[in-house]
Amino acid sequence: MTKPFAMPAGAATLRTRVGEVIAAHAGAAGRANCWQVNDPAFSRALGAAGLIGITLPRGYGGHDGDALERYIVLEELLAAGAPVGAHWIADRQTAPLLLRHATEAQKRRWIPGIAAGEIYGCIGLSEPGAGSDLAAVRSSARRDGEGWVLSGQKIWTTNAHIAHIMIGLFRSEPGSQRNAGLSQFLIPLDTLGITIRPIVNLTGEHDFNEVFFDEVRLPGDALLGMEGEGWAQATAELSLERSGPERYLSSMVLVTELVRHAAATGHTAAVALAGRFVSEAWTLRQMSLAVAGRMALGEDPSLEATIVKDLGNSFEQAIPQLVQQVLDLDLASDDPLAVLTGQLLQVSPSFSLRGGTREILRGIVARGLGLR
């Protein structure tokens, strides 16, 4: 899995293009956990520069690139701490699912706007009582003539408050149990009967939401893919969510600041810690690139993506804790190193929850290795 893949021709030019967009947008760098920071104007600037929808077909506003080209763009954005949260889910998951399962009219309605950085998506999976145990989904979808009626609740729904569409998992077969009888639906979030309420986190930020469905009526073509195949579709989608560089780069701006501090002060422990972080990040990068390379070849590296997410989450969660142990920081000050450390100490516990808890991931790895 750690075999390196050759970067595509033009990789350096692509990195330069990303840097130019960041430099042209005031304040578009230095954010910790930046892929959950929303800046629609920056997302539109990336779209105008052709840096969203890299792997999407040109006929739908994309650029016919491959997974390694997309990886380069993501890596540069995340390493810089750019505010990419607004378009992140739509580019990573929504558009690929629409390409695979949506009608032609739906593809043409939604995908060009995603590639332009103007249409945003969210994921309707978790529910009260069905977080890590996703098979416990209770929200229902029942047939009504040629259409569907959705009822229930989704929770921890990132960016539902700015999203235009949700791809949601609902129980479409009455009386079905666990992962049977589930289907995915394409849901415009301005549909009558949908209520979105904010969930404010420990740092006072509003990323999460709960979404209520009160007899929400959708046309028949809102069903994505095959009825009853929602579990298989949703778990395949999670491979896209778990495989990217965001699973080890969420704390990288703190590493960069630590390197600056170590170089300026010569602090022995800071120098040693910076070296440790850089070497671990390089190893994770090779693993993550191998996943992207296999995806570029049309393969499904779901097991490898799960391993990268687990190891990457452990790495990025440890960074602020170890920085705090090594340096005597005043977390109430405006020193950049202290500010980033304080922020990440508060938000990093969530890193091993989003996209699947550590326990769920290790169960997947064990099954993939034939251990259970």
Side-chain angles (χ1 to χ4, degrees), residues 35 70-71 74-75 78 88 92 238-249 284 288-289 291-292 295 305 308-309 312-313 316:
W35 58 283
R70 182 173 182 271
Y71 190 98
L74 302 188
E75 187 176 56
L78 294 169
W88 195 262
R92 183 182 67 186
L238 286 172
S239 293
L240 298 172
E241 182 173 347
R242 293 168 177 163
S243 61
E246 69 268 32
R247 297 309 179 181
Y248 71 93
L249 288 179
L284 285 163
S288 185
L289 270 172
V291 172
M295 292 175 68
V308 171
K309 181 188 181 302
N313 286 165
E316 61 185 5

Side-chain angles (χ1 to χ4, degrees), residues 71-158:
Y71 190 98
I72 290 168
V73 172
L74 302 188
E75 187 176 56
E76 289 297 308
L77 291 168
L78 294 169
V84 294
H87 70 269
W88 195 262
I89 291 170
D91 182 47
R92 183 182 67 186
Q93 284 162 272
T94 310
L97 256 71
L98 293 178
L99 277 177
R100 194 173 302 131
H101 300 300
T103 66
E104 185 63 22
Q106 289 167 333
K107 292 174 186 177
R108 297 201 176 278
R109 178 182 179 188
W110 300 112
I111 296 178
I114 291 174
E118 298 173 350
I119 296 293
Y120 312 135
C122 64
I123 305 164
L125 293 177
S126 294
E127 300 179 5
S132 294
D133 184 16
L134 184 58
V137 162
R138 292 181 295 175
S139 292
S140 67
R142 72 173 191 273
R143 284 195 175 276
D144 182 37
E146 296 183 356
W148 294 88
V149 178
L150 307 185
S151 298
Q153 178 185 357
K154 297 293 178 179
I155 199 166
W156 311 123
T157 311
T158 301

